[in-house]
Amino acid sequence: MDADATFTTFDGHSRRLTAPLADTLTLLHAGPRAGLLTFDDRTGRGVDFDLSGTLDEVLARHLPPEPRSGPGRPKLGVVSREVSLLPRHWEWLERQRGGASAALRRLIDEARRADPDGERRAQAQAAADRFLDAVGGDLPGFEAATRALYAGQRAAFEDALAAWPPDVRTHALYLAAPALEGQ
């Protein structure tokens, strides 16, 4: 996980903490965990951590490892994963300058540069939607909030959240902010 990422922990509809991973793990390891929900603020996804063992063991298990030296590109954060493509796609990729990996990186970077605002908006919408669904799915105005989020209507989004618990409303607005810029 990214050491700069923040996580928000809720106890019911009350926010307990928004903090980097190490502080979040410390809170979760320290006390009763029943009813606590923790969300990755970049994605809005709920996260579960293996909290068994000592705090040092928990931190070692979940904090990103120190960059190692050696072959590969650890400083760039290169991660090997599997990609499934048709043979004609592999053939095309292999003919590209630098091979398949370099061609895929270039294609992704070009797509991200083509519409950075659109990508940022889409990521914020997805993160806010995941959070809204997990915490606010049973709150009044949930459907209206979701419609306003995807329509980019800040005032309608805020109106739909008006009756929500303050901590949930504040966090939803925080996650949705990039999707509602200029509205």
Side-chain angles (χ1 to χ4, degrees):
M1 290 199 173
D2 184 355
D4 296 331
T6 59
F7 297 81
T8 299
T9 301
F10 278 84
D11 185 356
H13 289 146
S14 297
R15 186 179 66 84
R16 291 277 308 272
L17 177 74
T18 296
L21 182 56
D23 295 339
T24 301
L25 291 170
T26 301
L27 169 83
L28 294 173
H29 189 268
R33 298 183 276 279
L36 295 182
L37 295 174
T38 300
F39 298 90
D40 181 330
D41 291 336
R42 293 167 305 173
T43 65
R45 284 189 169 92
V47 290
D48 289 320
F49 298 105
D50 177 358
L51 300 170
S52 61
T54 66
L55 178 58
D56 288 337
E57 291 170 338
V58 171
L59 294 172
R61 188 168 34 251
H62 294 290
L63 290 177
E66 292 295 320
R68 63 175 179 81
S69 60
R73 297 176 179 222
K75 289 183 182 177
L76 295 178
V78 172
V79 176
S80 178
R81 295 204 180 146
E82 184 176 318
V83 176
S84 298
L85 299 172
L86 294 172
R88 70 176 180 268
H89 298 137
W90 283 115
E91 290 167 8
W92 183 86
L93 284 170
E94 289 167 357
R95 288 192 307 266
Q96 302 309 303
R97 179 177 40 93
S101 292
L104 285 171
R105 286 192 297 271
R106 278 193 308 276
L107 289 168
I108 291 167
D109 288 341
E110 288 172 19
R112 292 179 73 194
R113 277 192 300 271
D115 186 13
D117 291 337
E119 181 176 340
R120 189 175 68 251
R121 223 176 0 266
Q123 288 174 349
Q125 285 172 333
D129 184 52
R130 288 182 193 109
F131 174 74
L132 291 173
D133 189 47
V135 176
D138 60 347
L139 294 174
F142 168 76
E143 291 86 3
T146 303
R147 282 192 299 275
L149 172 67
Y150 283 100
Q153 299 169 338
R154 174 182 291 284
F157 187 71
E158 290 174 354
D159 288 346
L161 301 179
W164 288 26
D167 289 346
V168 174
R169 181 178 58 245
T170 300
H171 196 63
L173 289 166
Y174 165 74
L175 292 176
L180 303 172
E181 285 178 351
Q183 302 297 320

